[in-house]
Amino acid sequence: MYKLLKKYKKHTGPLYAVAYSKKHNLLFTGGSDKVVATWDLDKGESTPLSIKTDSAVLNFQLLNNEKHLFIGLFNGDFHIVDIDTRKEISFFNRHKLGVFSSCYLSDRNLLFVGAGDGTLSIWNTKCFKLLASHQLGKGKIRAIQSVDNDVFIANSQGHIFTINLFSIEEYSLFTTINHPIFCLNNFSSNNSLLIGDKNAHLTEIEIENKQIIKSIPAHNWPIYKIEWLNENEFVTCSRDKIVKIWDANSMKVKQRLCFPEFQGHLNSVNNLVSISSIETIVSVGDDKQICLWRKWQTFL
């Protein structure tokens, strides 16, 4: 069971992006106030490292052994910042609308970037050279997930496309569901995909035969993130203000982290990250709050 450990509330607008660097022991948060803030979780306070942007912050990705921070913005631009020197090393305005999603493949030095105009760009992260670009329909690309040698890209039209890593110049339609897709994750033990959609359903699809294994009403509003905690548990968050812990084997809810029972979020929970090394979940939302949830055993 998880309990609320701490809340941070120094941002002045809704939060959309969160990431954790184990190497630097830093939590990164960003949102509509156009500020990337950093937090030292050991000290329980913000750090002097702060980055001001020209547009709302939507997406983070840690690159190159956590040396660089990718910052995707609402206006379609993205920045690459060296965390140690605090200097920008690259800037791109490739996309016309918001950078809602990204996926980093460290073993191949590849970065997939998805935007609100339906465009996908693929980059080499060593030299930050554009390798390929695709127009994947007209829907916002909100989710990208790698599975073995394939990358799955989902959009607000309910389409899931796939790109094989040996042929990144080509793509194909994997499958389509009836609702806009907001998040994806790999259910590796089942060789399947977990999908969170606007209709608040959690859907599992087999990768090999593209068949739906199950689709269940999981929240009251759109599901914004699916994150694995360990091989038997995952966590979701939603516009319905709730963070849910799930048993992966039974697909049953083990815990609902909400307000007022657990002093959770007051508005939409837009994103979260799992920090397995300290058994902690960090969630961010429209209420400007950063909530740290820790497994109750650590309180003993």
Side-chain angles (χ1 to χ4, degrees), residues 82-284:
D82 187 298
I83 297 173
D84 289 321
T85 65
R86 306 184 187 183
K87 294 182 179 179
E88 179 178 277
I89 61 170
S90 294
F91 164 76
F92 300 95
N93 56 359
R94 178 78 189 179
H95 299 281
K96 296 179 181 179
L97 295 176
V99 176
F100 287 94
S101 58
S102 62
C103 179
Y104 173 51
L105 283 67
S106 59
D107 58 331
R108 297 176 181 267
N109 299 316
L110 290 177
L111 175 68
F112 286 70
V113 179
D117 56 3
T119 58
L120 176 83
S121 58
I122 306 172
W123 305 80
N124 180 303
T125 60
K126 289 302 181 185
C127 59
F128 293 106
K129 176 185 176 182
L130 180 65
L131 301 177
S133 180
H134 300 289
Q135 182 70 49
L136 303 182
K138 298 179 180 179
K140 295 176 182 177
I141 299 175
R142 291 187 176 271
I144 308 174
Q145 176 67 46
S146 66
V147 181
D148 298 327
N149 292 319
D150 292 306
V151 175
F152 296 87
I153 306 103
N155 68 15
S156 60
Q157 293 178 300
H159 300 320
I160 302 177
F161 299 91
T162 183
I163 292 177
N164 188 275
L165 295 176
F166 296 106
S167 182
I168 61 173
E169 295 287 346
E170 302 175 1
Y171 69 89
S172 60
L173 180 64
F174 173 72
T175 192
T176 300
I177 68 170
N178 294 327
H179 302 283
I181 299 170
F182 284 84
C183 53
L184 286 177
N185 213 316
N186 178 28
F187 198 158
S188 58
S189 61
N190 282 11
N191 192 30
S192 62
L193 289 175
L194 285 177
I195 301 167
D197 65 31
K198 186 177 181 180
N199 197 40
H201 275 63
L202 191 62
T203 301
E204 184 181 357
I205 295 182
E206 273 189 330
I207 292 175
E208 185 174 353
N209 60 24
K210 305 179 184 180
Q211 296 297 310
I212 293 178
I213 299 173
K214 59 174 66 71
S215 185
I216 59 173
H219 281 270
N220 300 316
W221 291 93
I223 303 170
Y224 288 145
K225 189 66 178 284
I226 304 167
E227 180 95 345
W228 284 94
L229 301 176
N230 52 63
E231 62 181 10
N232 297 312
E233 295 178 314
F234 63 89
V235 57
T236 59
C237 66
S238 166
R239 187 180 169 187
D240 65 7
K241 314 174 189 178
I242 303 172
V243 174
K244 291 186 177 183
I245 313 296
W246 295 79
D247 182 290
N249 299 309
S250 66
M251 294 293 281
K252 301 292 186 182
V253 177
K254 298 179 69 174
Q255 191 176 7
R256 299 167 77 257
L257 301 174
C258 56
F259 189 90
E261 183 180 0
F262 289 93
Q263 298 300 305
H265 289 277
L266 303 174
N267 301 103
S268 174
V269 189
N270 300 324
N271 208 340
L272 55 79
V273 64
S274 168
I275 308 174
S276 58
S277 59
I278 53 174
E279 296 184 306
T280 297
I281 300 166
V282 182
S283 56
V284 298

Side-chain angles (χ1 to χ4, degrees), residues 12-28:
T12 59
L15 296 172
Y16 309 118
V18 60
Y20 175 73
S21 169
K22 184 177 180 180
K23 178 180 178 181
H24 297 88
N25 191 30
L26 283 178
L27 181 76
F28 298 87

Side-chain angles (χ1 to χ4, degrees), residues 34-47:
K34 306 177 186 178
V35 172
V36 177
T38 59
W39 310 85
D40 184 321
L41 298 187
D42 287 340
K43 295 180 180 179
E45 60 187 29
S46 59
T47 81

